[in-house]
Amino acid sequence: MNNNDFNTLQIIQVGDKKFKLYLSHTEIQQIVSQLAKRISNDLSDENPLFLAVLNGSFIFAADLMRELDFDAEISFVKMSSYLGTQSTGKVEKLIGINESIENRTIVVLEDIIDTGISMEAMIQQLKAYNPKNIHLCTLLFKPGKFVKNYHIRYIGKEIDDDFIVGYGLDYDGKGRKYSQIYTICDR
């Protein structure tokens, strides 16, 4: 199977689960383009530093950076709170800040925000570096799962509480390679 075949799959198997098409590559690119336009309008004069949260946001971050109307810096950070299809509720320490972010506008790029637990921990850890502003940008947001009380400035698409894979999102480390996003068929 070559890479072009991945663009037309309606059902995929990842590990022990089947997933059905949820967002096409074209729909995803439209969402990314809209986010990039908003960020470009709002922040092009701020010289923001984008912090992409690994592992899931790497594809989203690359596509978003190419769509911005200004040249910007990007770095990658890592936190994790997932095991399988469920959040563990455990938050790990933020790693990967190699640049000075003091008095900088920071835009955190995330693939998905659901409960908000990991992002809240990241915000608190970033504040220790004294940035000028911290803005959140997520491709996908699950408002029905969100249990925290902070503002997410840039939301690409609100979704239901379905488990999804593709476009950087994974199930036990697999399924990131697809250019589309799929939702679980069975629970």
Side-chain angles (χ1 to χ4, degrees):
M1 180 178 293
N2 67 40
N3 225 12
N4 291 334
D5 294 330
F6 293 127
N7 292 328
T8 59
L9 297 175
Q10 297 296 309
I11 302 285
I12 60 170
Q13 178 88 30
V14 180
D16 61 346
K17 306 237 181 278
K18 287 191 185 290
F19 296 83
K20 61 184 176 183
L21 183 63
Y22 181 73
L23 288 173
S24 71
H25 182 70
T26 300
E27 291 171 302
I28 295 166
Q29 293 309 305
Q30 289 170 346
I31 293 167
V32 171
S33 181
Q34 290 169 358
L35 285 169
K37 284 178 184 157
R38 285 187 55 212
I39 292 169
S40 294
N41 287 335
D42 295 349
L43 302 177
S44 62
D45 295 335
E46 295 272 333
N47 187 30
L49 172 64
F50 290 82
L51 295 178
V53 181
L54 293 174
N55 291 335
S57 73
F58 74 102
I59 295 173
F60 168 53
D63 285 349
L64 183 81
M65 295 301 288
R66 285 190 291 264
E67 290 283 329
L68 293 173
D69 292 339
F70 62 98
D71 198 16
E73 297 173 66
I74 187 169
S75 190
F76 295 87
V77 294
K78 185 164 178 120
M79 291 183 84
S80 178
S81 69
Y82 269 84
L83 181 63
T85 62
Q86 300 297 314
S87 175
T88 64
K90 177 184 172 191
V91 176
E92 299 176 8
K93 184 173 172 36
L94 173 66
I95 56 173
I97 301 284
N98 299 318
E99 296 82 1
S100 172
I101 66 171
E102 187 169 354
N103 293 318
R104 294 275 315 260
T105 294
I106 303 302
V107 180
V108 178
L109 301 177
E110 183 64 287
D111 54 352
I112 188 167
I113 296 176
D114 50 24
T115 65
I117 294 170
S118 293
M119 189 55 62
E120 182 180 63
M122 178 176 287
I123 292 166
Q124 293 307 313
Q125 291 181 43
L126 286 171
K127 284 181 179 179
Y129 292 93
N130 299 314
K132 177 180 175 184
N133 295 304
I134 300 172
H135 301 296
L136 304 179
C137 176
T138 185
L139 177 66
L140 303 170
F141 176 58
K142 293 182 179 181
K145 293 282 288 184
F146 193 65
V147 298
K148 295 300 176 180
N149 190 24
Y150 55 80
H151 179 67
I152 304 169
R153 186 167 182 179
Y154 304 102
I155 296 173
K157 181 174 179 61
E158 291 186 3
I159 65 170
D160 292 331
D161 183 26
D162 295 326
F163 191 80
I164 55 177
V165 298
Y167 196 70
L169 297 138
D170 74 300
Y171 169 54
D172 282 342
K174 296 188 172 128
R176 295 184 195 276
K177 68 182 180 179
Y178 298 98
S179 64
Q180 301 180 124
I181 293 177
Y182 296 83
T183 187
I184 200 161
C185 289
D186 52 9
R187 291 213 166 237

